[in-house]
Amino acid sequence: MRPALAAGKPDLPRRMVCIETNMGILPQFFFPEKAGLDYKLTPYLERMAAFRDHFTVFSGVSLPGVTGGHSAEKCFLTGTPHPERGGFRNWVSLDQYAAEQIGSRTRYPSLVLGVGNEGQTLSYTRSGAPIPIERSARKLFEKLFVQGKPDEVVNAVNALRQGRSTLDFVGDQSKRLAKSLPPADRQRLDQYLTSVRDLEQRLHSAEEWEQKPKPKVTAAPPEDIKDGREFARQSRTMFDVIQLALATDSSRLVSVFVDATAIHNITHHGNRPEVLAELRAKEEGQFDALAAFLKTLSSVKEEGDTLLDRTMVLYGTCMGSANSHANNNLPVLLAGGGFRHGQHLAFDTQNNYPLTNLYVSMLQRLGIETREFSTGRGTMRGMEVV
């Protein structure tokens, strides 16, 4: 199922799953007090104790210039500064930047998902356009593993071809228009045409995959949980389908927006003990779901490694404190992916270290040759590969 790379070298699958919860995480239950390898697990990290040696927890990190409280949630994977300002335009997200480079190796270049009743996408194109999320785990399962009838496959291929022909027409028209434009506009049009050509290539790849049989799995389609207050249970269900997608190499890049708006009112807890206890219980459910996800990934063997060894799992939030809408000191951890883990990397809580540097490290781990991404101008200090 996996294509070969140049010079006959095998395509070693490296994968990435990026998860953001949008209502913050109580910092006192997340951040360890001591840095380094011998830090003590905090109440939230204790829920993941079985995987202590498989994740790194960060403190003192943030996205440079990303402010605006809740507005920052759309920038978790883009790092685009000042989303609260008028005329804001997002940059390309981490997963889509990677999909441009390696997405053609799988049936689906990326999976853009969400849980909860509302919420937006984490994923944005190079032009800053949001990519809609799929929040139904059952529909995702059917998309990945339910083979259409022969006539449905033919109709799907025809629709893809029609899309390509429309783009060809737009491209021809645009080329004629270019002759009458001044240099600055001609440059912008050239950028547009480049994006059109990229889309044509993706449509061509999609057409080829549409005619290949989908992988078969023994798992039954999941039942969707409709209640948005059960976002932790919804996450578990979605994570189970994601694990199947990764195990069958249907996609290697996944983003998940966890909409926790249902607990928005109690995130403004005012340090009231009874409210903090309720909020803590909700957030512990999210870490239980994450721990269960890591367990399923570690249970799948792949050529001497586990699926967790080959998959980076980024988990974090856009607010260091939802109670005050602060966008600094973000609670973030990275699990798996072949890095040396088991540590707490503590940076300056007053002058935060760029989280986007971690994104550069993650891109390089995927085999993408780059030294910068967004506001990141180097790799994450202290992160080493095995």
Side-chain angles (χ1 to χ4, degrees):
M1 293 174 62
R2 302 188 185 108
L5 294 180
K9 295 181 180 179
D11 180 22
L12 180 65
R14 294 286 178 194
R15 306 178 177 91
M16 179 174 71
V17 179
C18 302
I19 308 164
E20 179 197 17
T21 178
N22 68 331
M23 287 293 142
I25 296 170
L26 286 168
Q28 64 268 40
F29 301 129
F30 177 83
F31 291 121
E33 293 184 2
K34 188 176 180 180
L37 295 170
D38 58 346
Y39 73 91
K40 181 181 179 181
L41 290 172
T42 54
Y44 286 172
L45 299 180
E46 187 67 45
R47 323 291 291 197
M48 303 169 57
F51 301 97
R52 178 192 176 114
D53 294 336
H54 297 275
F55 68 81
T56 295
V57 58
F58 304 94
S59 63
V61 299
S62 61
L63 298 166
V66 176
T67 52
H70 290 291
S71 299
E73 64 187 29
K74 65 173 69 73
C75 302
F76 186 67
L77 291 187
T78 68
T80 316
H82 304 300
E84 77 281 7
R85 293 181 179 176
F88 170 78
R89 179 179 176 181
N90 223 337
W91 296 340
V92 64
S93 56
L94 176 65
D95 61 318
Q96 296 308 301
Y97 183 95
E100 292 175 354
Q101 308 296 319
I102 65 172
S104 60
R105 301 177 189 176
T106 54
R107 181 184 292 270
Y108 299 103
S110 70
L111 298 175
V112 181
L113 311 173
V115 299
N117 287 347
E118 300 180 17
Q120 59 184 352
T121 181
L122 277 182
S123 302
Y124 292 80
T125 67
R126 186 163 289 277
S127 63
I131 300 176
I133 60 174
E134 174 57 70
R135 61 167 54 93
S136 167
R138 186 179 185 90
K139 288 182 180 178
L140 175 63
F141 182 94
E142 292 172 348
K143 172 182 177 179
L144 293 169
F145 306 119
V146 177
Q147 188 71 43
K149 298 177 181 178
D151 59 326
E152 294 174 336
V153 173
V154 170
N155 291 337
V157 170
N158 288 336
L160 288 169
R161 287 174 177 168
Q162 181 62 38
R164 284 171 55 200
S165 65
T166 301
L167 289 176
D168 290 339
F169 172 77
V170 172
D172 292 339
Q173 295 285 80
S174 299
K175 289 174 184 177
R176 287 195 289 271
L177 175 63
K179 298 177 181 179
S180 62
L181 293 176
D185 289 338
R186 195 177 303 130
Q187 183 179 7
R188 285 192 287 270
L189 182 60
D190 182 65
Q191 292 174 343
Y192 165 73
L193 292 177
T194 298
S195 66
V196 168
R197 285 191 292 270
D198 291 343
L199 181 55
E200 285 178 334
Q201 292 173 356
R202 290 196 294 272
L203 288 173
H204 178 70
S205 176
E207 179 182 331
E208 292 179 344
W209 281 108
E210 195 66 41
Q211 300 185 63
K212 297 177 182 179
K214 294 181 179 181
K216 297 184 182 298
V217 294
T218 57
E223 294 297 327
D224 286 329
I225 301 169
K226 303 295 186 181
D227 189 349
R229 294 170 296 181
E230 298 291 339
F231 51 85
R233 289 179 55 214
Q234 289 175 335
S235 297
R236 281 198 182 216
T237 303
M238 188 67 80
F239 291 162
D240 287 343
V241 183
I242 292 171
Q243 182 266 322
L244 293 173
L246 299 175
T248 56
D249 209 30
S250 298
S251 185
R252 299 179 186 177
L253 303 167
V254 184
S255 70
V256 187
F257 184 95
V258 180
D259 173 43
T261 305
I263 62 170
H264 186 192
N265 61 323
I266 61 174
T267 63
H268 298 287
H269 47 76
N271 291 317
R272 290 169 290 172
E274 69 281 5
V275 181
L276 280 171
E278 183 182 0
L279 180 57
R280 176 178 173 175
K282 291 292 186 180
E283 293 183 350
E284 284 177 343
Q286 296 185 72
F287 283 94
D288 289 341
L290 180 60
F293 182 44
L294 300 185
K295 183 177 181 179
T296 62
L297 293 180
S298 65
S299 67
V300 178
K301 302 296 182 181
E302 184 180 64
E303 301 171 6
D305 291 328
T306 68
L307 203 53
L308 182 58
D309 294 328
R310 300 273 181 87
T311 305
M312 294 174 284
V313 180
L314 175 72
Y315 186 88
T317 179
C318 57
M319 289 187 289
S321 171
N323 187 46
S324 61
H325 285 180
N327 299 120
N328 60 335
N329 297 325
L330 303 181
V332 176
L333 64 82
L334 180 71
F339 287 100
R340 295 190 186 279
H341 289 301
Q343 61 179 331
H344 168 212
L345 285 181
F347 297 97
D348 192 332
T349 57
Q350 299 301 315
N351 184 22
N352 288 176
Y353 189 82
L355 180 59
T356 41
N357 280 17
L358 176 62
Y359 296 172
V360 176
S361 295
M362 294 170 69
L363 289 170
Q364 290 186 1
R365 192 59 178 146
L366 289 171
I368 298 171
E369 297 182 3
T370 183
R371 295 182 179 180
E372 60 182 48
F373 172 79
S374 182
T375 54
R377 296 296 181 265
T379 54
M380 172 66 85
R381 190 168 68 243
M383 292 296 293
E384 300 177 354
V385 298
V386 176

